Coordinates of all heavy atoms in Angstrom, one line a residue:
S1 N 0.9 -1.3 0.0 CA 0.0 0.0 0.0 C 0.9 1.3 0.0 O 0.5 2.2 -0.7 CB -0.9 0.1 1.1 OG -1.8 -1.0 1.2
S2 N 2.0 1.3 0.8 CA 2.9 2.3 0.9 C 3.4 2.6 -0.5 O 3.6 3.8 -0.9 CB 3.9 2.1 1.9 OG 4.7 3.3 2.0
D3 N 4.0 1.5 -1.2 CA 4.4 1.7 -2.4 C 3.5 2.3 -3.5 O 3.8 3.2 -4.4 CB 5.0 0.4 -3.0 CG 6.3 0.0 -2.4 OD1 6.9 0.8 -1.6 OD2 6.8 -1.1 -2.7
A4 N 2.3 1.8 -3.4 CA 1.1 2.4 -4.2 C 0.7 3.7 -3.9 O 0.1 4.5 -4.7 CB 0.0 1.4 -4.2
G5 N 1.0 4.2 -2.7 CA 0.6 5.5 -2.2 C -0.8 5.6 -2.0 O -1.5 6.7 -1.8
K6 N -1.6 4.5 -1.8 CA -3.0 4.5 -1.5 C -3.4 3.3 -0.8 O -2.8 2.2 -0.9 CB -3.8 4.8 -2.8 CG -3.5 3.6 -3.9 CD -4.3 3.9 -5.1 CE -4.1 2.7 -6.1 NZ -4.9 2.9 -7.3
V7 N -4.6 3.4 -0.2 CA -5.3 2.2 0.4 C -6.8 2.5 0.4 O -7.3 3.6 0.5 CB -4.6 2.1 1.8 CG1 -5.0 3.2 2.6 CG2 -5.2 0.8 2.5
S8 N -7.5 1.4 0.2 CA -9.0 1.4 0.2 C -9.4 1.3 1.6 O -8.9 0.9 2.5 CB -9.5 0.5 -0.8 OG -9.4 -0.9 -0.3
M9 N -10.7 1.7 1.8 CA -11.4 1.4 3.0 C -11.4 -0.1 3.3 O -11.3 -0.5 4.5 CB -12.9 2.1 3.0 CG -12.8 3.5 2.8 SD -11.7 4.4 4.2 CE -12.8 4.2 5.6
D10 N -11.7 -0.9 2.3 CA -11.7 -2.3 2.6 C -10.3 -2.9 3.1 O -10.2 -3.7 3.9 CB -12.2 -3.1 1.3 CG -13.6 -3.0 1.0 OD1 -14.4 -2.7 1.9 OD2 -14.0 -3.2 -0.1
Q11 N -9.3 -2.3 2.5 CA -7.9 -2.8 2.9 C -7.6 -2.2 4.2 O -7.1 -3.0 5.0 CB -6.8 -2.1 1.8 CG -7.0 -2.8 0.6 CD -6.1 -2.0 -0.6 OE1 -5.9 -0.9 -0.5 NE2 -5.7 -3.0 -1.6
L12 N -8.0 -1.0 4.6 CA -7.9 -0.6 6.0 C -8.6 -1.5 6.9 O -8.2 -1.9 8.0 CB -8.4 0.8 6.2 CG -7.5 2.0 5.5 CD1 -8.2 3.4 5.7 CD2 -6.2 2.0 6.3
A13 N -9.8 -1.9 6.6 CA -10.6 -3.0 7.4 C -9.8 -4.2 7.7 O -9.7 -4.7 8.7 CB -11.9 -3.1 6.8
G14 N -9.2 -4.7 6.5 CA -8.3 -5.8 6.6 C -7.1 -5.7 7.5 O -6.7 -6.6 8.2
F15 N -6.6 -4.5 7.5 CA -5.4 -4.2 8.4 C -5.9 -4.2 9.8 O -5.2 -4.9 10.7 CB -4.8 -2.7 8.2 CG -4.1 -2.6 6.9 CD1 -3.8 -1.3 6.4 CD2 -3.7 -3.6 6.0 CE1 -3.2 -1.0 5.2 CE2 -3.0 -3.4 4.8 CZ -2.8 -2.1 4.4
R16 N -7.2 -3.6 10.1 CA -7.6 -3.7 11.4 C -7.9 -5.0 11.8 O -7.6 -5.4 13.1 CB -8.9 -2.8 11.5 CG -9.4 -2.5 12.8 CD -10.6 -1.5 12.8 NE -11.5 -1.5 11.6 CZ -11.4 -0.6 10.7 NH1 -10.5 0.5 10.8 NH2 -12.2 -0.5 9.6
E17 N -8.5 -5.9 11.1 CA -8.8 -7.3 11.4 C -7.5 -8.1 11.7 O -7.3 -8.8 12.8 CB -9.5 -8.0 10.4 CG -11.0 -7.5 10.3 CD -11.8 -8.2 9.2 OE1 -11.5 -9.3 8.9 OE2 -12.7 -7.5 8.6
A18 N -6.3 -7.8 10.9 CA -5.1 -8.5 11.2 C -4.6 -8.1 12.5 O -4.2 -8.8 13.4 CB -4.1 -8.2 10.1
L19 N -4.7 -6.7 12.9 CA -4.1 -6.2 14.1 C -4.9 -6.8 15.4 O -4.4 -7.1 16.4 CB -4.2 -4.7 14.1 CG -3.1 -4.0 13.2 CD1 -3.4 -2.5 13.2 CD2 -1.7 -4.3 13.7
N20 N -6.3 -7.0 15.1 CA -7.1 -7.5 16.2 C -6.7 -8.9 16.4 O -6.6 -9.5 17.5 CB -8.5 -7.4 15.8 CG -9.2 -6.0 15.9 OD1 -8.6 -5.3 16.8 ND2 -10.2 -5.8 15.3
D21 N -6.3 -9.8 15.4 CA -5.9 -11.1 15.5 C -4.6 -11.1 16.2 O -4.3 -11.9 17.2 CB -5.7 -11.8 14.3 CG -7.0 -12.4 13.7 OD1 -8.1 -12.3 14.3 OD2 -6.9 -12.9 12.5
L22 N -3.7 -10.2 15.9 CA -2.3 -10.1 16.6 C -2.5 -9.9 18.0 O -1.6 -10.2 18.8 CB -1.4 -9.1 16.0 CG -1.0 -9.5 14.5 CD1 -0.3 -8.3 13.8 CD2 0.0 -10.6 14.6
A23 N -3.5 -9.2 18.5 CA -3.7 -8.9 20.0 C -4.2 -10.2 20.7 O -4.1 -10.1 21.9 CB -4.8 -7.8 20.0
S24 N -4.6 -11.1 20.0 CA -5.1 -12.4 20.6 C -3.9 -13.2 21.3 O -2.9 -13.2 20.7 CB -5.8 -13.3 19.6 OG -6.3 -14.5 20.1
D25 N -4.2 -13.8 22.4 CA -3.1 -14.5 23.1 C -2.9 -15.9 22.4 O -1.8 -16.4 22.5 CB -3.6 -14.7 24.6 CG -3.4 -13.5 25.4 OD1 -2.7 -12.6 25.1 OD2 -4.1 -13.5 26.5
S26 N -4.0 -16.3 21.7 CA -3.8 -17.7 21.2 C -4.4 -17.7 19.8 O -5.6 -17.3 19.6 CB -4.6 -18.6 22.2 OG -5.1 -19.8 21.4
L27 N -3.6 -18.1 18.8 CA -4.0 -18.2 17.5 C -3.7 -19.6 16.9 O -2.9 -20.3 17.4 CB -3.2 -17.2 16.6 CG -3.5 -15.8 16.9 CD1 -2.4 -14.9 16.1 CD2 -4.9 -15.3 16.6
V28 N -4.4 -20.0 15.9 CA -4.3 -21.2 15.3 C -4.0 -21.1 13.8 O -4.1 -19.9 13.2 CB -5.5 -22.2 15.5 CG1 -5.6 -22.6 17.0 CG2 -6.7 -21.6 14.9
K29 N -3.6 -22.1 13.1 CA -3.4 -22.0 11.7 C -4.4 -21.4 10.9 O -4.2 -20.6 9.9 CB -3.1 -23.4 11.1 CG -2.7 -23.5 9.7 CD -2.4 -24.9 9.3 CE -2.0 -25.0 7.8 NZ -1.8 -26.4 7.4
A30 N -5.7 -21.7 11.2 CA -6.8 -21.1 10.5 C -6.8 -19.6 10.5 O -7.1 -19.0 9.5 CB -8.1 -21.7 11.0
N31 N -6.5 -19.0 11.6 CA -6.4 -17.5 11.8 C -5.5 -17.0 10.7 O -5.8 -16.1 10.0 CB -6.0 -17.1 13.2 CG -6.9 -17.5 14.3 OD1 -6.6 -18.4 15.1 ND2 -8.0 -16.8 14.3
A32 N -4.3 -17.6 10.6 CA -3.3 -17.1 9.7 C -3.7 -17.4 8.2 O -3.6 -16.4 7.4 CB -1.9 -17.7 9.9
E33 N -4.4 -18.4 7.9 CA -4.8 -18.7 6.6 C -5.9 -17.6 6.2 O -6.0 -17.2 5.0 CB -5.4 -20.2 6.4 CG -4.2 -21.2 6.5 CD -4.7 -22.5 6.5 OE1 -6.0 -22.8 6.9 OE2 -3.9 -23.4 6.3
V34 N -6.8 -17.3 7.1 CA -7.9 -16.4 6.9 C -7.2 -15.1 6.6 O -7.7 -14.4 5.5 CB -8.9 -16.4 8.0 CG1 -9.8 -15.1 7.9 CG2 -9.7 -17.6 8.0
V35 N -6.4 -14.6 7.4 CA -5.8 -13.3 7.1 C -5.1 -13.2 5.7 O -5.2 -12.3 5.0 CB -4.7 -12.9 8.2 CG1 -4.0 -11.7 7.9 CG2 -5.6 -12.7 9.6
R36 N -4.2 -14.2 5.5 CA -3.5 -14.3 4.1 C -4.5 -14.2 3.1 O -4.4 -13.5 2.0 CB -2.5 -15.5 4.1 CG -1.3 -15.4 4.9 CD -0.3 -16.4 4.5 NE -0.8 -17.8 4.7 CZ -0.7 -18.5 5.8 NH1 0.0 -18.1 6.8 NH2 -1.2 -19.7 5.8
A37 N -5.5 -15.1 3.1 CA -6.6 -15.2 2.1 C -7.2 -13.9 1.9 O -7.5 -13.4 0.7 CB -7.5 -16.4 2.2
Q38 N -7.5 -13.1 3.0 CA -8.2 -11.9 2.9 C -7.4 -10.8 2.2 O -7.9 -10.0 1.3 CB -8.6 -11.4 4.3 CG -9.3 -10.1 4.3 CD -9.9 -9.6 5.6 OE1 -9.9 -10.4 6.6 NE2 -10.2 -8.5 5.8
F39 N -6.1 -10.7 2.5 CA -5.2 -9.9 1.9 C -5.2 -10.1 0.5 O -5.1 -9.2 -0.4 CB -3.8 -9.9 2.6 CG -3.8 -9.0 3.9 CD1 -3.0 -9.5 4.9 CD2 -4.6 -7.9 4.0 CE1 -3.0 -8.7 6.1 CE2 -4.6 -7.1 5.2 CZ -3.7 -7.6 6.3
V40 N -5.0 -11.3 0.0 CA -5.0 -11.6 -1.5 C -6.4 -11.1 -2.0 O -6.4 -10.5 -3.1 CB -4.8 -13.1 -1.8 CG1 -5.0 -13.5 -3.1 CG2 -3.4 -13.5 -1.2
R41 N -7.4 -11.5 -1.4 CA -8.8 -11.1 -2.0 C -8.8 -9.5 -2.1 O -9.5 -9.0 -3.0 CB -9.8 -11.6 -1.0 CG -11.3 -11.3 -1.5 CD -12.4 -11.6 -0.5 NE -12.3 -11.1 0.8 CZ -12.5 -9.8 1.2 NH1 -13.0 -9.0 0.2 NH2 -12.4 -9.5 2.4
L42 N -8.2 -8.8 -1.2 CA -8.2 -7.4 -1.2 C -7.1 -6.8 -2.2 O -7.0 -5.6 -2.4 CB -7.9 -6.9 0.2 CG -9.0 -7.0 1.2 CD1 -8.5 -6.6 2.7 CD2 -10.2 -6.2 0.8
G43 N -6.5 -7.5 -2.9 CA -5.6 -7.2 -4.1 C -4.1 -7.2 -3.7 O -3.4 -6.6 -4.6
F44 N -3.7 -7.6 -2.6 CA -2.3 -7.6 -2.3 C -1.7 -8.9 -2.8 O -2.4 -10.1 -2.8 CB -2.1 -7.6 -0.8 CG -2.6 -6.3 -0.1 CD1 -3.8 -6.3 0.7 CD2 -2.0 -5.1 -0.4 CE1 -4.2 -5.0 1.2 CE2 -2.4 -4.0 0.1 CZ -3.4 -3.9 0.9

């Protein structure tokens, strides 16, 4: 996003969801897969 110099509202929401996951004490593989898939869906 920084290289592109822009970010969409959907992409910002994806950032927020990833940060919320990172705040969790306990994560599983499925959490990481969902975040990666979401970022790809958002165009990254």
